[in-house]
Amino acid sequence: MLSYNFNVLTCSSCKAFFRRNALKDGNALKCPFSGNCDLTYLTRKFCQKCRLNKCFALGMKKDLILPERELQLRKERRIRKKLDLKLNKNNDQKSCNSSSDETQDISGSDCDILDQFLFNNTISDEDIEAQVMDIETCLTSTAAKVCESVTPIVSINRPITDYNNNFNAIEGNRLTELLSASNSLKISYGSVVSVADTYIDAMSALCCNVEEMVIKSIEMSKNISLFSELCVNDQISLMKYGSIQVTYLRNITGFDPNTNQLTVPDEDPSQSVLVDLNAIKCTKLYVFEACMTAIILFDPSRPNLQHRKLVKTCTKN
Amino acid sequence: MLSYNFNVLTCSSCKAFFRRNALKDGNALKCPFSGNCDLTYLTRKFCQKCRLNKCFALGMKKDLILPERELQLRKERRIRKKLDLKLNKNNDQKSCNSSSDETQDISGSDCDILDQFLFNNTISDEDIEAQVMDIETCLTSTAAKVCESVTPIVSINRPITDYNNNFNAIEGNRLTELLSASNSLKISYGSVVSVADTYIDAMSALCCNVEEMVIKSIEMSKNISLFSELCVNDQISLMKYGSIQVTYLRNITGFDPNTNQLTVPDEDPSQSVLVDLNAIKCTKLYVFEACMTAIILFDPSRPNLQHRKLVKTCTKN
DNA sequence: TATTGTTCAATACGTTCA
DNA sequence: TGAACGTATTGAACAATA
Ligand SMILES: [Zn+2]
Ligand SMILES: [Zn+2]
């Protein structure tokens, strides 16, 4: 239970408390009393300021808290590791594909569909952060080149003062900005050059598309000044969930209910791929749709859940 | 700031504290000290037990807390009121439509679109709870009649053991169940009997559809045993957010990107309404889509947000 | 293996709204 | 007056690292 933490034998709660507070600037915490509270294990919660003081007094050292840059390094390492893992997995899958091309009956259970979908779409905080960081640097340090292709979008749209509306100047600006940003998400469909009508092809085309749209969404959000003003953490949280949904919203345009096919843009902007959703859907009845519904329902990240873990385990059955 | 609460002049926090704790059984709270803590406004958080004791000592009366049955009554009244309001509103809209049919130019700013959309889709906890309760009672007490129309759906689907898969029995059952439940969400489109091509018509058709799908989603969830096993609170939380998304997912089928029209089922199952999305979209450029994107992005209910309020204010600009 | 960081459910609080 | 909501803090369980 007790162990050495930051140079002193403490309980785990004091360890956490010290890490959370030791680096705060001196005025962040304030003693509501006379500043010399006598704290024990039981009364430790009475006064944060004095609790922290006691930590220091007993010899806890804030230098032992890893510095920002060290954390950053670790984080990057972790992210890199995760990406590598993903790439390897994808490659493994690819090499499998090329050997057995027409197999409609993929080996592995139906749950693989679920797994794959979840895996490929579960963008972790860190993934997003990596993306944001990436784009961030693109937009700032490599400014010249990238900004040329990003900034113009904002100014292309004419101000929306030219039709009668009830907006004031600020509202007008916000909306203009929003429309411009939104415009950059518009999907331009080139001529259809290939049809993805096997399970594997359809699935990978979809995944690529989702991935790209997520990135585009993030880029777009950079064009919304209000969004940029949020702290990075919140940007990430919002994007993590929002980008997927934006992707759905935007892709509706490419869907043809008669043929049950979805047109998605290719990497080459002048080309498109026609994804035959039947290839996914029909091979295994409506497993896909049902699973999607289940995923949406059993989302353990919903707010106000009392038993997140329970919900979580549901997804696994 | 101060007001009489439960017979004593108190601050609002003590009012809330008393309500939360006065009815707990005597052993629920325990003083970690000697049981005679001397509490002031500043130290009120030190010991709940003694805080509660002080409340009583100063004359706060727990009989003034409304009894369970009274709360139940109020709740039901509230829910009933809400439902009535809704019904009236729907009726009003209907009669409105018939009188002014061609109005393309709705009075009010663009923000009305946003407001209306948000308003009509914001399903409160109580709405959901009402629905859940409703369906709950339908499924249990009025079992005979309702179960005849609900249970069969579950058994219609043949067990999925008839094609080669790698499921074990439990997985198979889960999936069968999921597919069956999912099936009940399938939208059956009757022949198109009317076209909603004015703003009002399109908007109200959409809202009705969303409403109905939400209810269907809830009904469906009852058919998933794992879902039913969750506690009611979590069911509500999951449905609150999930049902809307399920609605999107399921409606994709009815969308024709060429004409930009969405077919939604009518109340009469043999009929459908063709909603011309241009009526909503084009009246005010792409305001709608842009706003939708913004709504999705700036969702203050996302988990892990550090500055929810800030995010919230964004939506208001 | 021991010390560090990360994550997250649980809890309580107090304001706002109806 | 209660319900709903948003928020802050805690501390244990877990993962990573050296
Ligand atoms: Zn103190
Ligand atoms: Zn006490």
Side-chain angles (χ1 to χ4, degrees), chain A residues 123-136 139 150 181 184-185 210-224 227-228 235-244 246-247, chain B residues 293 297:
Chain A
I123 321 277
S124 75
D125 282 351
E126 280 177 0
D127 295 337
I128 300 271
E129 190 162 0
Q131 307 276 19
V132 170
M133 270 166 46
D134 195 36
I135 293 155
E136 187 83 22
L139 285 180
V150 171
S184 71
L185 273 188
V210 168
E211 210 163 298
E212 199 176 322
M213 281 299 290
V214 166
I215 294 175
K216 271 197 183 171
S217 304
I218 297 172
E219 284 174 332
M220 181 215 68
S221 69
K222 289 282 164 192
N223 274 332
I224 304 177
F227 198 83
S228 309
Q235 284 187 31
I236 292 167
S237 286
L238 289 172
M239 286 313 302
K240 177 171 177 183
Y241 301 92
S243 56
I244 299 289
V246 170
T247 300
Chain B
T293 307
L297 271 186

Side-chain angles (χ1 to χ4, degrees), chain A residues 90-269:
Chain A
N90 282 347
N91 286 340
D92 287 357
Q93 282 183 344
K94 257 181 197 159
S95 56
C96 271
N97 296 354
S98 55
S99 61
S100 64
D101 214 31
E102 294 310 325
T103 29
Q104 194 83 339
D105 251 4
I106 308 303
S107 63
S109 76
D110 273 300
C111 282
D112 282 352
I113 302 178
L114 193 55
D115 286 349
Q116 193 176 343
F117 191 86
L118 278 172
F119 180 80
N120 279 299
N121 268 327
T122 298
I123 321 277
S124 75
D125 282 351
E126 280 177 0
D127 295 337
I128 300 271
E129 190 162 0
Q131 307 276 19
V132 170
M133 270 166 46
D134 195 36
I135 293 155
E136 187 83 22
T137 48
C138 275
L139 285 180
T140 52
S141 70
T142 333
K145 190 181 134 209
V146 181
C147 278
E148 266 170 38
S149 67
V150 171
T151 320
I153 302 177
V154 178
S155 46
I156 280 175
N157 267 57
R158 65 187 192 289
I160 55 161
T161 50
D162 54 355
Y163 45 88
N164 50 359
N165 60 54
N166 299 330
F167 295 116
N168 63 29
I170 295 178
E171 288 171 340
N173 286 340
R174 293 242 188 279
L175 199 52
T176 306
E177 187 185 68
L178 193 54
L179 285 170
S180 308
S182 177
N183 234 7
S184 71
L185 273 188
K186 209 181 245 168
I187 302 177
S188 62
Y189 297 100
S191 56
V192 174
V193 291
S194 66
V195 178
D197 53 2
T198 67
Y199 171 72
I200 289 271
D201 285 352
M203 209 64 198
S204 66
L206 276 188
C207 289
C208 285
N209 177 249
V210 168
E211 210 163 298
E212 199 176 322
M213 281 299 290
V214 166
I215 294 175
K216 271 197 183 171
S217 304
I218 297 172
E219 284 174 332
M220 181 215 68
S221 69
K222 289 282 164 192
N223 274 332
I224 304 177
S225 57
L226 267 177
F227 198 83
S228 309
E229 284 164 17
L230 295 174
C231 80
V232 175
N233 171 80
D234 289 0
Q235 284 187 31
I236 292 167
S237 286
L238 289 172
M239 286 313 302
K240 177 171 177 183
Y241 301 92
S243 56
I244 299 289
Q245 284 182 266
V246 170
T247 300
Y248 278 116
L249 179 68
R250 296 302 173 140
N251 262 315
I252 291 178
T253 329
F255 181 70
D256 181 348
N258 297 322
T259 59
N260 204 22
Q261 289 172 328
L262 182 72
T263 312
V264 298
D266 193 49
E267 288 178 42
D268 178 344

Side-chain angles (χ1 to χ4, degrees), chain B residues 215-283:
Chain B
I215 294 175
K216 272 196 182 172
S217 303
I218 296 172
E219 283 174 334
M220 181 214 69
S221 70
K222 288 284 164 193
N223 273 332
I224 304 177
S225 57
L226 266 177
F227 198 82
S228 310
E229 284 163 17
L230 294 175
C231 80
V232 174
N233 171 80
D234 289 0
Q235 284 187 33
I236 292 167
S237 287
L238 289 173
M239 286 313 302
K240 180 173 177 183
Y241 301 92
S243 54
I244 299 288
Q245 285 182 267
V246 170
T247 301
Y248 279 115
L249 180 69
R250 296 301 173 140
N251 262 315
I252 291 179
T253 329
F255 181 71
D256 181 350
N258 296 321
T259 59
N260 203 21
Q261 290 172 328
L262 183 71
T263 312
V264 299
D266 192 51
E267 287 179 44
D268 178 344
S270 70
Q271 303 184 344
S272 291
V273 180
L274 194 60
V275 177
D276 190 352
L277 295 184
N278 297 306
I280 296 170
K281 244 192 190 169
C282 288
T283 42

Side-chain angles (χ1 to χ4, degrees), chain A residues 33, chain B residues 38-47:
Chain A
F33 309 104
Chain B
D38 185 23
L39 300 181
T40 68
Y41 180 74
L42 276 181
T43 62
R44 68 193 185 281
K45 289 181 188 170
F46 286 5
C47 172

